[in-house]
């Protein structure tokens, strides 16, 4: 099966303009060319749509998957794949599952109309994009409305994509300070990691300086050498925004093969709450 956390669903268009079609975009974060022929995309109705023909994804590339041949025009020469039968993502709420041809679940992504920018009166023709392709955290803070002039970015880097810091090891929080306000340019905080194990199980928390836990970001998650999660600055238990101040992100990883354990921490600063 594909390595967990390196092949992800990164963009969903559920309410296209007339003449366009729904699509789900995939990202290949591995260093290999992948044969995705026969892979499937399933929505919450249970409809299973299969990639037709011979389709390969180059390393570090994107692939837009749609049942509508309009995707050829929408991708403008970039990589695409056709799905059969019809993919129809619900415009208000849905859940998309990506499976390899063997049936192995590669990734899952929810879709909520409420995750679009609150300044929009209509999400017509606008896709939801993942802020960081490597992120394994399917939460509202990890997605936002495409800001591309066309309304979406099928087969190419997302308009909302955040560059991860080039750290050698450990944890990095960016931006820091960040804002807990969803409309801010400094929201959310992306906490990225690099760890030495090819495959590991991880836990990640955010703590106050007194050691009390305010947020649980990962709990037994199966991760690769690098990746990221997003944090919206809210308390996990109460869902209330936290106060301005310095917090600590802490992660522990257990090697899936040897049970070796590593720890990493980094400061996370909330600088705006209103």
């Amino acid at each position: 099966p594909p390595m967990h956390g390196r092949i992800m669903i990164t963009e969903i268009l559920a309410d296209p303009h007339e003449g366009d079609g729904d699509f789900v975009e995939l990202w290949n974060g591995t260093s290999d060319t992948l044969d995705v022929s026969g892979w499937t995309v399933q929505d919450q109705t249970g409809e299973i749509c299969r990639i037709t023909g011979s389709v390969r994804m180059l390393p570090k590339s994107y692939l837009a998957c749609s049942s509508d041949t309009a995707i050829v025009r929408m991708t403008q020469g970039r990589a695409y794949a056709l799905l059969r039968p019809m993919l129809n993502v619900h415009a208000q709420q849905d859940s998309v599952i990506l499976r390899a041809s063997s049936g192995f679940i590669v990734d899952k992504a929810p879709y909520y109309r409420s995750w679009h920018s609150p300044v929009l009166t209509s999400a017509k023709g606008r896709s939801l994009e993942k802020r960081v392709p490597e992120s394994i955290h399917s939460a509202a803070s990890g997605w936002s409305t495409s800001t591309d002039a066309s309304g979406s970015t099928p087969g190419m880097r997302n308009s909302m994509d955040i560059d991860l810091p080039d750290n050698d090891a450990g944890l990095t929080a960016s931006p820091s300070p960040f804002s807990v306000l969803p409309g801010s340019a400094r929201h959310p905080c992306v906490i990225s990691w690099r760890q030495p194990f090819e495959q590991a199980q991880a836990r990640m928390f955010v703590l106050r300086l007194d050691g009390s836990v305010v947020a649980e970001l990962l709990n037994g998650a199966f991760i690769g050498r690098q990746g990221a999660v997003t944090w919206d600055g809210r308390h996990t238990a109460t869902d209330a925004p936290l106060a301005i101040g310095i917090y600590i992100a802490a992660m522990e990883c257990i090697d899936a093969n040897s049970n070796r354990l590593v720890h990493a921490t980094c400061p996370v600063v909330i600088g705006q709450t209103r």
Side-chain angles (χ1 to χ4, degrees), residues 206-221:
V206 179
L207 308 95
R208 291 191 176 96
L209 295 182
D210 64 5
S212 59
V213 175
V214 295
E216 180 182 81
L217 305 181
L218 298 175
N219 189 353

Side-chain angles (χ1 to χ4, degrees), residues 20-59:
D20 291 341
D22 296 12
F23 72 80
V24 172
E25 182 188 75
L26 315 180
W27 172 74
N28 175 15
T30 74
S31 57
D32 299 319
T33 297
L34 302 178
D35 183 355
V36 295
S37 306
W39 285 33
T40 62
V41 176
Q42 178 181 339
D43 61 26
Q44 67 182 11
T45 68
E47 186 73 67
I48 296 175
C49 305
R50 192 174 304 276
I51 292 177
T52 63
S54 178
V55 180
R56 296 179 182 274
M57 287 184 68
L58 297 176

Side-chain angles (χ1 to χ4, degrees), residues 67-274:
S67 299
D68 197 311
T69 55
I71 196 66
V72 179
R73 170 179 49 77
M74 295 168 68
T75 51
Q76 300 179 12
R78 299 181 293 269
Y80 70 89
L82 290 175
L83 299 168
R84 293 292 183 269
M86 184 62 66
L87 173 70
N88 187 16
V89 182
H90 196 281
Q92 293 300 315
Q93 179 179 333
D94 213 322
S95 179
V96 179
I97 301 174
L98 173 68
R99 285 188 173 91
S101 54
S102 64
F104 177 83
I105 294 178
V106 179
D107 193 25
K108 297 180 181 179
Y111 178 90
Y112 293 98
R113 167 62 180 84
S114 60
W115 285 7
H116 278 282
S117 171
V119 304
L120 292 179
T121 57
S122 171
K124 190 76 172 176
R126 291 279 173 187
S127 66
L128 270 184
E129 296 181 341
K130 207 169 194 179
R131 294 177 185 271
V132 182
E134 295 94 335
S135 173
I136 62 174
H137 206 191
S138 290
S141 60
W143 296 77
S144 192
T145 304
S146 174
T147 57
D148 190 83
S150 67
S152 62
T153 56
M156 62 185 293
R157 181 179 178 179
N158 292 346
S159 65
M160 297 297 297
D161 197 353
I162 298 174
D163 288 318
L164 294 181
D166 189 19
N167 55 317
D168 293 328
L171 291 181
T172 304
S174 177
S176 185
F178 79 101
S179 171
V180 302
L181 303 177
S184 170
R186 300 188 68 82
H187 177 90
C189 181
V190 178
I191 302 174
S192 58
W193 71 79
R194 293 183 186 270
Q195 53 87 19
F197 310 130
E198 184 176 51
Q199 296 176 325
Q201 286 187 297
R203 302 171 70 215
M204 186 187 297
F205 302 93
V206 179
L207 308 95
R208 291 191 176 96
L209 295 182
D210 64 5
S212 59
V213 175
V214 295
E216 180 182 81
L217 305 181
L218 298 175
N219 189 353
F222 188 63
I223 65 170
R225 293 188 189 276
Q226 62 184 31
V229 294
T230 55
W231 183 43
D232 57 7
R234 291 180 174 272
H235 196 292
T236 296
T238 66
D239 198 38
L242 292 162
I244 289 174
I246 300 173
Y247 299 82
I248 301 295
M251 184 174 77
E252 62 179 20
C253 296
I254 301 175
D255 185 2
N257 299 309
S258 68
N259 288 329
R260 288 174 54 205
L261 179 68
V262 297
H263 296 271
T265 61
C266 75
V268 184
V269 180
I270 295 178
Q272 182 184 30
T273 58
R274 59 182 179 180

